[in-house]
Amino acid sequence: MTVSAYQAKSTNSLSFDLTKDGKLIGKLSYKSWFKFNAVIEITNNPNYKFEPKGFWGTTIELKEGEKVLLKFKMNWNGEIIIQTYFNNLEKDYIFKHRGIFKESFILIDQEGNELLVMKPNLKWNNMNYEYQLTSSDIFENFSNKEILLMSSLHCANYYISLMMSYQ
């Protein structure tokens, strides 16, 4: 099994650059730190917007214009359930936190395959996060892998901000 490595670095407290081998793949930008609205810019693609839905804003939708491509929400046991609607096909994924000392997030498909591992690293000098992302062969063959990479980054930030708010 070969793996691909990506890096996500916070350029300031409101945006992240995702790169592979030093080449920019995309950018995730938040309007404010306390909201889950965000914009994804992927090289050579239209922009996509994350918008909270519902009274409590617990479901987050990713839209291209008015079309919903993906949505996610945290379930009762702290896992984030992601539903994608690419090419009018619905697929479900689980994004979850793993470990305490060797902390990471993982993205799993419906068959239980580990698609993506994200290791967060807090840069104490500027209080910004960086992530090391490692993907599987299965993930690398996805036609919408860039959107899923950027969405996983948003899920990790969402999870961390929710856990910080409970403390």
Side-chain angles (χ1 to χ4, degrees):
M1 176 177 107
T2 58
V3 294
S4 292
Y6 300 86
Q7 292 76 38
K9 291 189 178 174
S10 179
T11 54
N12 59 50
S13 63
L14 295 176
S15 71
F16 289 81
D17 287 345
L18 181 71
T19 59
K20 181 178 180 184
D21 301 324
K23 186 177 166 209
L24 185 67
I25 307 270
K27 184 185 273 296
L28 173 66
S29 305
Y30 294 92
K31 296 180 190 334
S32 104
W33 191 233
F34 302 104
K35 299 211 185 303
F36 297 115
N37 298 61
V39 174
I40 295 177
E41 301 167 59
I42 297 175
T43 312
N44 302 323
N45 279 294
N47 287 357
Y48 307 96
K49 290 185 175 152
F50 281 109
E51 298 175 352
K53 288 290 169 214
F55 181 74
W56 297 108
T58 54
T59 297
I60 312 287
E61 291 182 342
L62 178 67
K63 292 181 169 183
E64 178 183 356
E66 290 303 308
K67 184 178 182 186
V68 176
L69 299 177
L70 173 153
K71 63 182 169 185
F72 68 83
K73 70 179 182 180
M74 192 174 286
N75 68 12
W76 59 271
N77 63 354
E79 296 174 342
I80 296 174
I81 306 303
I82 301 173
Q83 295 173 304
T84 62
Y85 305 100
F86 303 129
N87 306 318
N88 295 320
L89 292 173
E90 183 178 330
K91 290 204 172 158
D92 294 343
Y93 302 92
I94 295 173
F95 184 87
K96 65 183 185 176
H97 182 257
R98 176 170 68 182
I100 296 194
F101 299 110
K102 290 190 177 202
E103 186 176 37
S104 62
F105 296 97
I106 55 174
L107 181 68
I108 303 167
D109 67 12
Q110 291 170 299
E111 290 78 40
N113 297 309
E114 203 170 277
L115 302 173
L116 186 65
V117 177
M118 296 178 64
K119 295 185 189 296
N121 182 14
L122 176 63
K123 295 296 181 186
W124 288 103
N125 58 339
N126 55 11
M127 293 304 288
N128 288 338
Y129 271 96
E130 292 182 0
Y131 297 93
Q132 297 298 318
L133 296 86
T134 307
S135 64
S136 69
D137 287 339
I138 297 169
F139 185 86
E140 285 301 310
N141 289 316
F142 285 0
S143 60
N144 292 293
K145 71 179 177 188
E146 291 85 3
I147 294 173
L148 265 175
L149 279 165
M150 300 304 290
S151 297
S152 294
L153 180 57
H154 189 48
C155 284
N157 292 333
Y158 176 79
Y159 183 92
I160 289 169
S161 68
L162 284 179
M163 292 305 115
M164 287 179 159
S165 69
Y166 288 127
Q167 294 179 1

